[in-house]
């Protein structure tokens, strides 16, 4: 789920009120609040709405949810960020400008400049640098990257990559890095637009896979972000085609073959992806198999919204009609901006879809 960014001058008192509001909404059995708790409270990962509503929630539980959905691991860390901010807490700055360690920051500067010789010398002078991590809070990913992960330009910092970024990446790899950093970098490359726009995505995928990256660790993020060229490259490098991947890529025959043996979580992911990318026959097959069209999407797949939100946003009229026909709730609001699927359609000027959804909702309200 995208993190709710803090305002430029956050108020701890206001955040405390938000936590109290969350407790009240939990007591009122609000489905959107259940989704927020499921995603951001470790005790409720994978829990059903009924299990969440049956649980006793303390103020400290609600504060943890507020902190984590703001990009902080705990209420104490959020409180420190507000009361005793450091350079790393300047969330308005790009990540490289928030680095407090001068040696690490210099490494990123050399990386960004495409200075192969300078970076190699810097790494030789500081042999632990390629293993070091730097911490960032206030975001929903990139929390503790190594130097290697900065080659992905994801999150976006400059909007471009050095033309010799492959050589830069080789220099860092040659200095020695953990396998986890290689896998994390591959996932960032495969889910970011800058590497694709700079025509470096596929060469970097090949280099990282040649150096031991696991393509299966990156394919989920690739398809979730619609980076299909990257996804197909990962498949060529050995990534498995499971149900969510087949659903995202519109491989109808494969998806239909995989549905009977897939677990409920894979089916849930597949419905989210097929709806997002407009693969109506895969959506139909999943609904026929009993997948609930009114659940919020699973973690990692635009979980602040439902399949109907995503289909409306993208303009997939046939998917929208099918989801509504099969009972998708029209009044569920996303957990970030509190918009219904019709509101999302309006925001993207999908006039036909908006009119359809509002007419269906009005009819449903008359029946109630």
């Amino acid at each position: 789920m995208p993190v709710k960014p803090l305002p430029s001058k956050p108020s701890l008192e206001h955040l405390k009120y938000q936590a109290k509001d969350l407790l009240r909404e939990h007591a009122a059995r609000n489905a959107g609040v259940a989704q927020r708790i499921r995603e951001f409270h470790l005790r409720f990962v994978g829990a059903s709405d009924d299990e969440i509503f049956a649980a006793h929630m303390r103020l400290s539980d609600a504060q943890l949810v507020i902190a984590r959905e703001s990009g902080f691991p705990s209420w104490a860390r959020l409180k420190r960020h507000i009361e005793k901010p450091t350079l790393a807490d300047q969330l308005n700055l790009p990540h490289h400008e928030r680095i407090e360690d001068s040696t690490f920051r210099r490494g990123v500067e050399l990386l960004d400049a495409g200075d192969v010789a300078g970076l190699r010398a810097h790494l030789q002078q500081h042999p632990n640098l390629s293993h070091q991590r730097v911490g960032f809070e206030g975001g929903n990913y990139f929390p503790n990257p190594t130097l290697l992960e900065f080659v992905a330009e994801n999150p976006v910092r400059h909007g471009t990559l050095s033309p010799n970024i492959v050589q830069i990446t080789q220099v860092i790899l040659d200095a020695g890095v953990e396998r986890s950093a290689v896998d994390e970098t591959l996932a960032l490359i495969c889910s970011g637009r800058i590497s694709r726009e700079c025509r470096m995505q596929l060469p970097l995928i090949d280099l990282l896979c040649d150096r031991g990256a696991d393509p299966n660790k990156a394919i989920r993020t690739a398809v979730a972000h619609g980076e299909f060229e990257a996804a197909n490259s990962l498949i060529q490098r050995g990534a498995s085609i499971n149900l969510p991947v087949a659903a995202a890529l519109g491989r109808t025959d494969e998806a239909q073959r995989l549905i009977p043996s897939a677990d409920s979580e894979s089916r849930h992911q597949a419905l989210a992806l097929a709806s997002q990318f407009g693969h109506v026959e895969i959506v139909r097959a999943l609904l026929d198999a009993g997948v609930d069209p009114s659940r919020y999407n699973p973690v990692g797949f635009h979980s602040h919204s439902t399949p109907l939100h995503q289909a409306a946003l993208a303009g997939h009229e046939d998917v929208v009609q099918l989801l509504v026909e099969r009972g998708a709730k029209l009044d569920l609001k996303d957990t970030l901006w509190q918009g219904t699927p019709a509101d999302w359609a309006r925001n993207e000027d999908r006039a036909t879809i908006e009119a359809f959804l509002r007419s269906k909702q009005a009819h449903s309200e008359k029946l109630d």
Side-chain angles (χ1 to χ4, degrees):
M1 182 188 291
V3 163
K4 291 184 177 179
L6 292 174
S8 57
K9 296 182 179 180
S11 164
L12 193 61
E13 288 303 311
H14 182 65
L15 292 166
K16 289 178 181 177
Y17 287 131
Q18 288 184 22
K20 292 176 181 178
D21 287 341
L22 188 143
L23 285 179
R24 283 191 286 270
E25 292 297 314
H26 172 263
R29 301 178 66 86
N30 181 288
V33 163
Q35 178 72 350
R36 291 166 62 194
I37 293 170
R38 181 166 34 246
E39 174 139 15
F40 293 111
H41 197 304
L42 297 177
R43 183 156 57 95
F44 296 102
V45 173
S48 68
D49 285 6
D50 287 341
E51 289 170 334
I52 292 172
F53 293 138
H56 174 66
M57 288 283 290
R58 299 167 297 178
L59 180 60
S60 59
D61 292 313
Q63 289 175 336
L64 177 61
V65 172
I66 296 298
R68 286 175 57 82
E69 72 178 355
S70 299
F72 296 86
S74 67
W75 181 260
R77 295 293 285 270
L78 173 59
K79 185 172 183 288
R80 184 211 56 78
H81 166 82
I82 294 172
E83 295 180 343
K84 298 179 180 180
T86 65
L87 176 62
D89 292 310
Q90 303 304 309
L91 304 183
N92 60 312
L93 296 178
H95 284 74
H96 59 283
E97 294 183 17
R98 294 166 57 191
I99 299 171
E100 296 177 332
D101 184 295
S102 59
T103 300
F104 197 109
R105 184 164 179 162
R106 180 56 180 160
V108 176
E109 290 171 352
L110 292 166
L111 179 159
D112 290 340
D115 187 344
V116 171
L119 180 60
R120 183 180 290 113
H122 190 63
L123 287 165
Q124 289 172 348
Q125 185 179 359
H126 304 281
N128 292 326
L129 177 57
S130 62
H131 303 280
Q132 184 180 341
R133 291 182 179 270
V134 62
F136 296 113
E137 295 178 339
N140 64 336
Y141 72 114
F142 212 63
N144 59 338
T146 63
L147 182 64
L148 180 64
E149 283 140 88
F150 281 84
V151 306
E153 186 65 11
N154 180 17
V156 176
R157 299 179 295 111
H158 299 291
T160 189
L161 286 172
S162 169
N164 65 345
I165 194 64
V166 173
Q167 289 81 7
I168 287 289
T169 306
Q170 288 174 326
V171 168
I172 301 172
L173 290 167
D174 289 344
V177 296
E178 283 76 21
R179 169 67 179 272
S180 61
V182 183
D183 287 338
E184 289 159 9
T185 304
L186 181 64
L188 291 169
I189 291 291
C190 292
S191 58
R193 64 177 178 85
I194 300 301
S195 62
R196 168 174 44 81
E197 292 172 356
C198 293
R199 299 185 179 181
M200 295 293 176
Q201 191 175 59
L202 300 187
L204 285 168
I205 289 172
D206 283 337
L207 172 62
L208 292 168
C209 288
D210 286 345
R211 294 298 190 95
D214 182 354
N216 284 302
K217 297 284 183 66
I219 195 162
R220 190 187 84 157
T221 54
V223 297
H225 289 83
E227 295 292 338
F228 298 134
E229 188 174 18
N232 284 315
S233 178
L234 292 170
I235 291 168
Q236 292 175 1
R237 298 297 308 225
S240 302
I241 302 176
N242 56 21
L243 177 58
V245 171
L249 295 176
R251 299 190 178 197
T252 304
D253 291 343
E254 286 178 271
Q256 291 176 336
R257 177 178 57 81
L258 291 166
I259 287 172
S261 60
D263 60 26
S264 60
E265 183 64 15
S266 294
R267 294 182 182 192
H268 190 193
Q269 294 172 1
L271 181 63
L273 291 165
S275 299
Q276 178 183 348
F277 297 118
H279 304 308
V280 66
E281 292 307 318
I282 297 176
V283 172
R284 191 187 313 278
L286 289 161
L287 295 173
D288 288 344
V291 182
D292 184 355
S294 292
R295 290 177 69 190
Y296 282 95
N297 289 334
V299 174
F301 298 87
H302 302 291
S303 54
H304 59 298
S305 61
T306 66
L308 187 56
H309 280 93
Q310 292 296 324
L313 177 72
H316 302 310
E317 293 184 32
D318 51 354
V319 174
V320 167
Q321 291 171 1
L322 177 60
L323 289 169
V324 172
E325 175 188 314
R326 296 298 188 89
K329 292 181 180 179
L330 301 162
D331 58 350
L332 276 180
K333 296 180 179 180
D334 75 89
T335 62
L336 278 180
W337 301 286
Q338 297 299 303
T340 65
D343 295 333
W344 279 38
R346 179 182 60 193
N347 193 58
E348 290 296 310
D349 295 323
R350 312 287 190 192
T352 301
I353 291 177
E354 182 191 0
F356 170 76
L357 291 171
R358 295 204 188 281
S359 68
K360 289 293 185 181
Q361 188 166 358
H363 178 71
S364 177
E365 289 170 353
K366 284 182 182 180
L367 293 177
D368 293 340

